[in-house]
Each structure stands twice: as structure tokens, then as C-alpha cells.
Amino acid sequence: TLRQPISQSSMADWASKNLNLHTQGIFRRRLSLATMLSWSGASIRKPMLVTSSRAVRKEACEMFKLVQSYMGDRHTRLDRNHVALLAVTKCWSTQGLRDELYMQLVRQTTDNSSYRSLAWGWELMAISLAFFSPSPKFQSYLEGYIYRHLDSDEKIAQHIKELVDLKNKKITKSRKKRKQNTEDEGLPISTYAKYCYRKLQKVAVTGGKKGLRKPTLEEITHARSAILTPSLFGSSLQEIMQRQQGTYPGNRLPWVQTQLSQQVLALGGEHTEGIFRIPGDIDEVNALKLQVDQWKIPNNLSDPNIPASLLKLWYRELEEPVIPQQFYKECINNYENPDAAVAVVQLLPELNRLVLCYLIHFLQIFAQPSNVGRTKMDVNNLAMVMAPNCLRCQSDDPRVIFENTRKEMSFLRMLIVHLDTSFIKGLL
């Protein structure tokens, strides 16, 4: 369910306080807010947003050229993948540039008379959201802008027609211009907007790409393809199962869940001290995530902490947790009652029940005394590291969160100790 974002008047108020109003002409007249927030084919001489950062002031104008180049509004020798990589890398390295890029994209996707340019602007926004979030200060504005494009395809088409007609009244039509305005429209803008809206919600929580390695061309390509082909990470269980129908039609469990779990065991994870507690190298985890999203498991893995960390990430990033929100209260209320805890599992939707039972079956392997002696991860430790990936407290009250964290751990511990998961072997 989409929450209602800030109003249009609140967005205008935010813009009036934070936009770095530009000037034009020999008398250096200030541009209006409407002009500042409309597509421009010209360069800019200073950032779109007020900033005290020298680095941002220096890079903002170059960033605008990259935005124009990606959208096809400026000639460049680089292909669009490399342009996107340059823009994303600048923002990934300089945090203050992130809001500036998003504001530039807001401008260049407003009153844009070229559908192709408009679509590529939204595409660059979608790619950027795969790597970094806007600041909390700017998030509400960007969310409001994206929200207003979720069901606006007819309005956009009509508005582009009006802009083109207006332009054609002022200038003589040429064959070149007629050709430009009859290009294939491609994806509806609402497709980009819906993807960006969901991505913004997630990246605001996760913080985007982590690690020391800079973004790569492969990651840029993957971020673009994710617009049409949902990732195995961050989707719902139902979407993941639908997506694997073509490749693994007989599987009753998500391929990504079983493959990563088996990799942990194949690499000796049940004998590795601190498994699930000690994180794998974040850059290697990111690299494995790219491979898994292409249905590949590399054969050169050696550290079980890599697939273990990615497996935890998969559970944590599910659009809805393995134990759906409507069962959360019942789990919390029965955190000390083994029979009641097991009964909750039987009430879950079939897919959720199977996925949870597979996870518990997997954790029961590590909870065996012979393995605990090596991993130093007893049932309490296993419940502590995995409970946050299965249950999500919706309260904002720190006291409630703290109290429920203990109950979530106890509930998962009850399942590891008491849930009969022997039937899982027949599913594999």
C-alpha cells in the first residue's frame, strides 16, 4: 500500500527554500521556480540546490552535462552505459552530489517534449536508486515527484503533444524535427515511476550499495535490466516463484534460497566459527549477488561467510518478511509456548510455510551439538542473528522494538528446537 506523500504545495515550499535560483541575460535576472524546474537544453553554471560544499559546486555543472548526455540531449562520444557509470560513480564517491543529481533529473524530466529523452531520464533515476538514496531531507520531495507520475501516462502524452505544438508554432518544422517527435515511445513512464517508487522505499532503508569497490559497468547494466526483470532480491516470494517458473518449473522452493543454503554447507559452513555472525567481504557478497541474479553460482567460492551473508540479505530484503506481518502479533504473543509457536507456522500461506520450514531445517543442522562445538553458534545465537530477517516490528517506539527483539529471538528459538521439518527432505 502506497502512503500518500507530501502535497504539491509542500513540494513547492521545499523548492523555494532549497533551490539555488539561477540567473540569465546581461541583467542577471533570476529565473522563476517554474523555469528552474523545467527541462533545459542549455548548460548550468552553478548547482541546482543550495550547498556549502566546494566539491559539489565544482562537480554539479559537469554532472548536468552527464545527465544531458545520457538523455540524448547533448552529444558525447561515450555510450550511455559509460555515461551512467561516470554519473553514478561521482555520486557514490561524493555524498553531497546525490541530491543534486536527483534534482537535475527532476528538472530534465519536467516539461520535456521528447519522449525518448524523458524515458532515458527516468531510466537514469532508476539506475541511480540502485546505488544510493537521497538524503532524508530530500527524500520526501523526490517521493512526491515520483508518486505524481505513477498513473500519468495519458497526461504526459497530452502534455508532450501540447509542448511540441507550441514549439512548432514558434519555429519552422523540419523533417528532422518531425522524425524526432515520432520516435518509438518505448516503456510507459508509469513503469519507470512505479519501479523508482518501490526502489526509493527500499534504498532509503538499506542505504544502497556498500563496500569499497566502485560501481562497475556490469552493475550498471544489471540495474537497468532490473527495471523490467525484477531482482531475486527485494521482491516478494510470489514474484520470485513466478520468475523461476520458466527455468525451474518443478521447484516448490525459491531457487535462490536452496542454492545459497547448499553453498554454505558445501563450503563447510557448519564447521566454520562465527558462521552467520561474521560477515563476508562486502565486495565479494555484492559480486555474488550479481551472479545469483543471473541464475549463476560461481564455482570458485571458498569462504562460506560469502553465501551465508548473501542468504541473510535475501531473507532481510524480501518485500514482505517470510512470516507475513498479519502473523507478527501472534508470534510475539507465543514466544515462550512451543506448541503455540509451531501452530502459528501451520497457519501461514503455503509458500511462506515451506520457505520458513526450509530455513528452520537448515538452521537445525547448525544447532546440532557436534557443529555448535566448532561454530560457537548455539541455538540462541542462531535465533539472534536470523530472527530480524524473518520478523519485522512495525513500531517506531524504541522501547517496543527493544522488547519485541527479545521475543522475536525466543519465538525463532522455539521453532529451531521444536518444529518438525523432516518433510523438507522430500521437497529437494
Side-chain angles (χ1 to χ4, degrees), residues 2 102 105-106 109 118-130 132-134 139 142-150 187-204 223-224 226-228:
L2 301 180
Y102 288 127
L105 286 168
V106 167
T109 53
L118 179 63
W120 284 349
W122 277 96
E123 185 177 84
L124 183 55
M125 187 185 296
I127 290 170
S128 302
L129 284 168
F132 45 80
S133 63
Q139 184 190 339
L142 184 61
E143 183 181 59
Y145 180 77
I146 296 171
Y147 184 89
R148 283 162 181 78
H149 290 80
L150 295 180
L187 288 179
I189 297 304
S190 61
T191 301
Y192 293 107
K194 286 169 185 172
Y195 176 84
C196 287
Y197 198 86
R198 288 175 65 182
K199 197 70 181 172
L200 177 59
Q201 307 299 319
K202 292 171 187 172
V203 77
R224 181 190 292 110
I227 299 168
L228 276 180

Side-chain angles (χ1 to χ4, degrees), residues 87-337:
V88 165
T89 303
K90 282 178 184 288
C91 294
W92 187 79
S93 306
T94 308
Q95 195 166 346
L97 271 174
R98 298 172 186 181
D99 287 354
E100 177 68 21
L101 171 63
Y102 288 127
M103 183 51 89
Q104 290 180 7
L105 286 168
V106 167
R107 175 178 187 168
Q108 294 302 95
T109 53
T110 301
D111 291 342
N112 189 329
S113 61
S114 165
Y115 200 97
R116 185 182 68 174
S117 168
L118 179 63
W120 284 349
W122 277 96
E123 185 177 84
L124 183 55
M125 187 185 296
I127 290 170
S128 302
L129 284 168
F131 293 91
F132 45 80
S133 63
S135 70
K137 174 183 174 183
F138 184 60
Q139 184 190 339
S140 294
Y141 184 94
L142 184 61
E143 183 181 59
Y145 180 77
I146 296 171
Y147 184 89
R148 283 162 181 78
H149 290 80
L150 295 180
D151 296 299
S152 60
D153 293 318
E154 288 184 15
K155 290 181 182 176
I156 289 173
Q158 180 62 29
H159 190 51
I160 289 177
K161 184 178 182 302
E162 290 169 0
L163 289 171
V164 171
D165 289 345
L166 188 64
K167 188 188 293 184
N168 289 341
K169 286 179 183 178
K170 296 178 180 178
I171 58 175
T172 305
K173 281 194 286 184
S174 68
R175 290 182 181 179
K176 185 177 181 182
K177 293 192 184 300
R178 280 200 296 272
K179 184 180 178 183
Q180 179 185 350
N181 292 322
T182 56
E183 288 164 346
D184 291 338
E185 292 189 352
L187 288 179
I189 297 304
S190 61
T191 301
Y192 293 107
K194 286 169 185 172
Y195 176 84
C196 287
Y197 198 86
R198 288 175 65 182
K199 197 70 181 172
L200 177 59
Q201 307 299 319
K202 292 171 187 172
V203 77
V205 175
T206 62
K209 174 181 165 65
K210 297 176 179 66
L212 297 175
R213 291 181 195 164
K214 292 181 178 180
T216 64
L217 275 176
E218 186 181 13
E219 288 175 320
I220 294 291
T221 303
H222 182 265
R224 181 190 292 110
S225 65
I227 299 168
L228 276 180
T229 308
S231 170
L232 294 174
F233 297 81
S235 298
S236 68
L237 286 174
Q238 290 74 18
E239 285 174 331
I240 291 167
M241 293 303 290
Q242 285 172 6
R243 195 179 159 202
Q244 74 178 35
Q245 268 300 308
T247 317
Y248 302 100
N251 285 23
R252 294 181 64 191
L253 288 162
W255 174 88
V256 57
Q257 179 191 27
T258 57
Q259 286 297 308
L260 287 175
S261 300
Q262 289 167 18
Q263 278 296 307
V264 174
L265 297 175
L267 296 173
E270 74 272 36
H271 307 138
T272 302
E273 185 172 338
I275 191 70
F276 300 119
R277 180 176 55 79
I278 297 173
D281 178 85
I282 187 65
D283 290 317
E284 291 188 39
V285 173
N286 287 339
L288 178 58
K289 184 179 179 182
L290 273 180
Q291 293 284 304
V292 169
D293 242 343
Q294 298 169 47
W295 307 94
K296 298 174 186 173
I297 297 289
N299 54 16
N300 60 348
L301 293 175
S302 57
D303 180 4
N305 290 309
I306 305 300
S309 293
L310 189 58
L311 183 62
K312 283 172 61 181
L313 182 71
W314 180 76
Y315 285 115
R316 186 166 65 251
E317 287 194 348
L318 281 172
E319 189 169 279
E320 183 180 54
V322 174
I323 300 176
Q325 210 54 50
Q326 65 263 36
F327 297 93
Y328 182 84
K329 192 172 181 180
E330 205 159 350
C331 296
I332 296 303
N333 291 340
N334 295 299
Y335 70 98
E336 288 183 315
N337 186 331

